[in-house]
Coordinates of all heavy atoms in Angstrom, one line a residue:
H1 N 0.8 -1.2 0.0 CA 0.0 0.0 0.0 C 0.9 1.2 0.0 O 0.4 2.3 -0.3 CB -1.0 0.0 1.2 CG -0.4 0.1 2.5 ND1 0.2 -1.1 3.1 CD2 -0.1 1.1 3.4 CE1 0.7 -0.7 4.3 NE2 0.5 0.6 4.5
E2 N 2.2 1.1 0.3 CA 3.2 2.2 0.4 C 3.1 3.1 1.5 O 4.0 3.5 2.1 CB 3.3 2.9 -1.0 CG 3.6 2.0 -2.2 CD 4.9 1.3 -2.1 OE1 5.6 1.5 -1.1 OE2 5.2 0.6 -3.1
T3 N 1.9 3.6 1.7 CA 1.6 4.5 2.9 C 0.1 4.5 3.1 O -0.7 4.6 2.1 CB 2.2 5.9 2.8 OG1 1.7 6.7 3.9 CG2 1.7 6.5 1.5
A4 N -0.4 4.5 4.3 CA -1.8 4.6 4.6 C -2.2 6.0 4.9 O -3.4 6.3 5.2 CB -2.2 3.7 5.8
D5 N -1.3 7.0 4.7 CA -1.6 8.4 4.8 C -1.8 9.0 3.4 O -0.9 9.0 2.6 CB -0.3 9.0 5.5 CG -0.5 10.5 5.8 OD1 -1.3 11.2 5.0 OD2 0.1 11.0 6.7
E6 N -3.0 9.4 3.1 CA -3.3 9.8 1.7 C -2.4 11.0 1.3 O -2.1 11.0 0.1 CB -4.8 10.2 1.6 CG -5.3 10.5 0.2 CD -6.7 10.5 0.1 OE1 -7.5 10.5 1.1 OE2 -7.2 10.7 -1.1
M7 N -2.2 11.9 2.2 CA -1.4 13.1 1.7 C 0.1 12.6 1.5 O 0.7 13.1 0.5 CB -1.4 14.2 2.8 CG -2.8 14.8 3.0 SD -3.5 15.5 1.5 CE -2.3 16.7 1.1
H8 N 0.5 11.7 2.3 CA 1.9 11.2 2.0 C 1.9 10.4 0.8 O 2.9 10.5 0.0 CB 2.3 10.2 3.2 CG 3.7 9.8 3.2 ND1 4.1 8.5 3.6 CD2 4.9 10.4 2.7 CE1 5.4 8.4 3.5 NE2 5.9 9.5 2.9
Y9 N 0.9 9.7 0.4 CA 0.8 8.9 -0.9 C 0.9 9.8 -2.1 O 1.7 9.6 -3.0 CB -0.5 8.2 -0.9 CG -0.7 7.3 -2.1 CD1 -0.3 5.9 -2.0 CD2 -1.2 7.7 -3.3 CE1 -0.4 5.1 -3.1 CE2 -1.2 6.9 -4.5 CZ -0.9 5.6 -4.4 OH -1.0 4.7 -5.5
K10 N 0.3 11.0 -1.9 CA 0.3 12.0 -3.0 C 1.7 12.5 -3.2 O 2.1 12.9 -4.3 CB -0.6 13.1 -2.8 CG -2.1 12.7 -2.9 CD -3.1 13.8 -2.6 CE -4.5 13.4 -2.9 NZ -5.5 14.5 -2.5
I11 N 2.5 12.6 -2.2 CA 3.9 13.1 -2.3 C 4.8 12.1 -3.0 O 5.7 12.4 -3.7 CB 4.4 13.4 -0.9 CG1 3.8 14.5 -0.2 CG2 5.9 13.6 -0.9 CD1 4.1 14.8 1.2
L12 N 4.5 10.8 -2.8 CA 5.4 9.8 -3.4 C 4.9 9.3 -4.8 O 5.8 8.7 -5.4 CB 5.3 8.6 -2.5 CG 5.7 8.7 -1.0 CD1 5.6 7.4 -0.2 CD2 7.2 9.1 -0.9
H13 N 3.8 9.7 -5.3 CA 3.2 9.2 -6.5 C 2.8 10.4 -7.5 O 2.4 11.4 -7.0 CB 2.0 8.3 -6.2 CG 2.5 7.1 -5.4 ND1 2.5 7.1 -4.1 CD2 2.9 5.8 -5.8 CE1 2.8 5.8 -3.7 NE2 3.1 5.1 -4.7
P14 N 2.8 10.1 -8.8 CA 2.2 11.1 -9.7 C 0.8 11.3 -9.6 O 0.1 10.4 -9.0 CB 2.6 10.5 -11.0 CG 2.7 9.0 -10.8 CD 3.2 8.8 -9.4
E15 N 0.3 12.3 -10.1 CA -1.2 12.6 -10.1 C -2.1 11.5 -10.7 O -3.2 11.3 -10.4 CB -1.5 13.9 -10.7 CG -1.0 15.1 -9.9 CD -1.5 16.4 -10.4 OE1 -2.2 16.4 -11.4 OE2 -1.0 17.5 -9.9
S16 N -1.5 10.8 -11.6 CA -2.2 9.7 -12.3 C -2.5 8.5 -11.5 O -3.4 7.8 -11.8 CB -1.4 9.2 -13.5 OG -0.1 8.8 -13.2
M17 N -1.9 8.5 -10.3 CA -2.1 7.4 -9.4 C -3.0 7.8 -8.2 O -2.8 8.9 -7.8 CB -0.8 6.7 -8.9 CG 0.0 6.2 -10.0 SD 1.6 5.4 -9.4 CE 0.9 3.9 -8.7
S18 N -3.8 6.9 -7.7 CA -4.8 7.2 -6.7 C -4.7 6.4 -5.5 O -4.6 5.1 -5.5 CB -6.2 7.1 -7.3 OG -7.2 6.9 -6.3
F19 N -4.6 7.0 -4.3 CA -4.7 6.3 -3.0 C -5.9 5.4 -2.9 O -5.8 4.3 -2.5 CB -4.6 7.4 -1.9 CG -4.8 6.8 -0.5 CD1 -3.7 6.3 0.1 CD2 -6.0 6.8 0.2 CE1 -3.8 5.7 1.4 CE2 -6.1 6.3 1.4 CZ -5.0 5.8 2.1
D20 N -7.0 5.9 -3.3 CA -8.3 5.2 -3.2 C -8.2 3.9 -4.1 O -8.7 2.9 -3.7 CB -9.5 6.0 -3.6 CG -9.8 7.1 -2.5 OD1 -9.4 6.9 -1.4 OD2 -10.4 8.1 -2.9
N21 N -7.6 4.1 -5.3 CA -7.6 2.9 -6.2 C -6.6 1.8 -5.5 O -7.0 0.7 -5.6 CB -7.1 3.3 -7.5 CG -7.2 2.1 -8.5 OD1 -8.2 1.6 -8.7 ND2 -6.1 1.7 -9.1
R22 N -5.6 2.3 -4.9 CA -4.6 1.3 -4.3 C -5.5 0.5 -3.2 O -5.3 -0.7 -3.1 CB -3.4 2.0 -3.7 CG -2.3 1.1 -3.1 CD -1.8 0.1 -4.0 NE -1.2 0.6 -5.1 CZ 0.2 0.8 -5.3 NH1 1.0 0.5 -4.3 NH2 0.7 1.3 -6.4
M23 N -6.1 1.3 -2.4 CA -6.9 0.6 -1.3 C -8.0 -0.3 -1.9 O -8.3 -1.4 -1.3 CB -7.5 1.6 -0.3 CG -6.4 2.4 0.5 SD -5.5 1.2 1.5 CE -4.2 2.3 2.2
N24 N -8.6 0.2 -3.0 CA -9.7 -0.7 -3.6 C -9.1 -2.0 -4.2 O -9.7 -3.0 -4.1 CB -10.4 0.1 -4.6 CG -11.3 1.2 -4.1 OD1 -11.7 1.1 -2.9 ND2 -11.6 2.2 -4.9
C25 N -7.9 -1.9 -4.7 CA -7.3 -3.0 -5.2 C -7.0 -4.1 -4.1 O -7.3 -5.3 -4.2 CB -5.9 -2.7 -5.9 SG -6.1 -1.9 -7.5
L26 N -6.6 -3.7 -2.9 CA -6.4 -4.5 -1.8 C -7.7 -5.1 -1.4 O -7.7 -6.3 -1.0 CB -5.7 -3.8 -0.6 CG -4.2 -3.5 -0.8 CD1 -3.7 -2.4 0.2 CD2 -3.4 -4.8 -0.7
S27 N -8.8 -4.3 -1.4 CA -10.0 -4.9 -0.9 C -10.6 -5.9 -2.0 O -11.1 -7.0 -1.6 CB -11.0 -3.8 -0.9 OG -10.7 -2.9 0.2
S28 N -10.3 -5.7 -3.3 CA -10.6 -6.7 -4.3 C -10.0 -8.0 -4.1 O -10.5 -9.1 -4.2 CB -10.4 -6.1 -5.7 OG -11.1 -5.0 -5.9

């Protein structure tokens, strides 16, 4: 998941990637 802090996720990833999508993938 890389980080469970959404703001931190945005610092580490480009705008094209989504914290919510990463969490949804784990749920799937």
Side-chain angles (χ1 to χ4, degrees):
H1 65 280
E2 302 298 1
T3 173
D5 182 331
E6 185 169 5
M7 294 307 297
H8 188 216
Y9 186 93
K10 290 179 179 178
I11 292 172
L12 300 177
H13 298 87
E15 290 185 6
S16 58
M17 297 184 70
S18 159
F19 174 83
D20 288 339
N21 189 59
R22 181 61 59 100
M23 292 299 176
N24 287 337
C25 284
L26 284 165
S27 295
S28 294

